[in-house]
Amino acid sequence: MPELPEVECLVNALRPLLEGAQITKIKFYRNDLREPLPIKEFAKYLEGQTLLTLDRRGKYMLWETKNDVALFHLGMSGRFNLEQKSQPLKTHTHVVFSVKSQDQKNYYLHYVDPRRFGRMGFHLGHDVSRHKFIEKLGLEPLESSQKVGKYLFESSRRCRQPIKTFLMNSHRLVGVGNIYASEALFRAKISPFRDSSSLDNSDFLRLSREIKTTLQAAIKAGGTTLRDYVHPEGQQGQFQISLKVYGREGKPCVECQKLVTSARQGGRSTFYCQQCQN
DNA sequence: ACACGATCCTGACTGC
DNA sequence: TGCAGTCAGGATCGTG
């Protein structure tokens, strides 16, 4: 569910509370999501530790302690809910982190994930770039657009994939999922069906800039709430009102008034304007 | 090596 | 009302 902006907003929302806080207890209500949960590692290395920094890499949230790093990916439907007191669990609550903040208040962070596509991991030591979740990840789209554009151009030369599928591959570029891929391609006026190798250097530079500005605007708006994404304390994101094509099939294009079209690519919905995007 | 579809899972919504 | 079918902010795996 969450793409880069939603994870960035989650990290930003939790950071003031969790940085400097102690993890007092971790309770698991099942032993697996997509894969086994790191129950033993969390019990041995995370419980009792102080969280020093919260960070993000791609769509992963990272919790760093003195010696180690915990990793979290929310999949399609995962979320963290912050509760002030212990209370009955909502359905699909799989893990509860009990936390004591720096001002000695107790909080409960509930990991809820109906579809269970999320994942959690643990890395001994600080070099989390070597963790199996992270090691194959590509560039961060908020880095320099010059650098990202150049890299995407070069890695697309012998690639016969449509550009939208190409963008969503996290081994090249992280954080761009189904919503923001459609949005950035619209803003760059590039058809999602274009063969990646048919785009030139300047197309990739323009596209990289549009990806970055779209993601930044979404972060500023608190993310996109379509179905169930909310901040840890329940507020919705606001970027859905700024979406130009995603979810707007049959509505007029904001640029040319021609109706927005949808199609399927790689099993996912794509939204685009046949007139504006070439 | 690459490109594609199937797959993991539950819930919400559609149409018959 | 019920039931089948489809779709959903992701990413990995197996196959051709």
Side-chain angles (χ1 to χ4, degrees):
Chain A
M1 105 166 340
E3 303 186 34
L4 184 150
E6 290 73 34
V7 180
E8 180 78 13
C9 290
L10 171 69
V11 170
N12 289 341
L14 292 179
R15 187 177 278 134
L17 181 84
L18 289 190
E19 284 187 353
Q22 188 191 21
I23 305 285
T24 52
K25 180 79 191 160
I26 305 170
K27 193 158 166 50
F28 290 87
Y29 294 89
R30 59 179 305 137
N31 58 18
D32 67 303
L33 295 173
R34 250 165 49 191
E35 55 198 73
L37 284 162
I39 297 177
K40 284 183 188 159
E41 291 87 344
F42 277 15
K44 185 171 177 188
Y45 299 107
L46 195 55
E47 263 182 4
Q49 290 295 307
T50 298
L51 291 178
L52 299 180
T53 53
L54 261 65
D55 221 330
R56 178 190 61 72
R57 172 78 173 98
K59 294 171 188 166
Y60 288 89
M61 172 166 63
L62 308 176
W63 291 1
E64 294 158 10
T65 64
K66 186 171 164 225
N67 297 313
D68 308 303
V69 185
L71 303 90
F72 305 90
H73 191 299
L74 305 183
M76 291 280 264
S77 59
R79 62 198 246 200
F80 279 93
N81 292 337
L82 187 63
E83 312 288 356
Q84 303 280 339
K85 55 179 186 189
S86 189
Q87 53 187 296
L89 299 182
K90 293 181 181 135
T91 46
H92 308 303
T93 300
H94 308 312
V95 188
V96 174
F97 300 85
S98 303
V99 171
K100 190 184 285 271
S101 65
Q102 275 185 306
D103 56 359
Q104 304 300 305
K105 286 186 185 151
N106 292 313
Y107 293 94
Y108 302 89
L109 200 52
H110 292 216
Y111 181 74
V112 182
D113 187 356
R115 295 176 71 181
R116 307 207 300 275
F117 288 0
R119 66 198 317 202
M120 297 185 189
F122 193 76
H123 183 75
L124 288 170
H126 267 149
D127 188 8
V128 76
S129 66
R130 291 169 54 195
H131 189 274
K132 65 170 183 173
F133 292 175
I134 305 291
E135 63 183 355
K136 290 181 182 158
L137 294 182
L139 290 183
E140 287 283 339
L142 300 183
E143 284 192 70
S144 142
S145 298
Q146 293 272 355
K147 175 181 171 183
V148 172
K150 184 168 185 282
Y151 172 76
L152 292 180
F153 172 71
E154 283 166 3
S155 60
S156 65
R157 288 310 80 195
R158 276 164 300 142
C159 180
R160 307 205 59 79
Q161 247 180 328
I163 184 61
K164 190 209 176 206
T165 329
F166 176 87
L167 283 184
M168 288 176 62
N169 183 339
S170 63
H171 296 345
R172 297 195 192 87
L173 185 69
V174 297
V176 179
N178 206 36
I179 295 178
Y180 299 109
S182 281
E183 288 298 307
L185 285 164
F186 174 79
R187 288 157 206 243
K189 303 195 182 303
I190 295 168
S191 162
F193 303 103
R194 279 278 291 280
D195 190 326
S196 305
S197 63
S198 77
L199 302 183
D200 66 20
N201 226 329
S202 70
D203 291 327
F204 274 109
L205 178 59
R206 192 170 76 256
L207 182 54
S208 303
R209 286 184 172 142
E210 294 297 344
I211 290 170
K212 183 171 175 175
T213 53
T214 305
L215 295 175
Q216 285 173 329
I219 291 167
K220 204 171 171 188
T224 298
T225 298
L226 291 180
R227 268 156 287 276
D228 48 7
Y229 168 75
V230 287
H231 292 213
E233 297 178 81
Q235 321 88 294
Q236 299 197 343
Q238 290 303 319
F239 195 68
Q240 59 280 7
I241 61 179
S242 303
L243 296 175
K244 299 189 184 210
V245 285
Y246 188 89
R248 297 194 65 249
E249 181 185 14
K251 294 185 179 161
C253 169
V254 294
E255 298 289 336
C256 75
Q257 314 305 316
K258 191 178 160 77
L259 302 186
V260 171
T261 308
S262 86
R264 285 192 86 72
Q265 282 184 292
R268 318 286 304 273
S269 292
T270 297
F271 299 88
Y272 65 105
C273 173
Q274 291 177 318
Q275 186 149 294
C276 294
Q277 294 174 254
N278 296 294

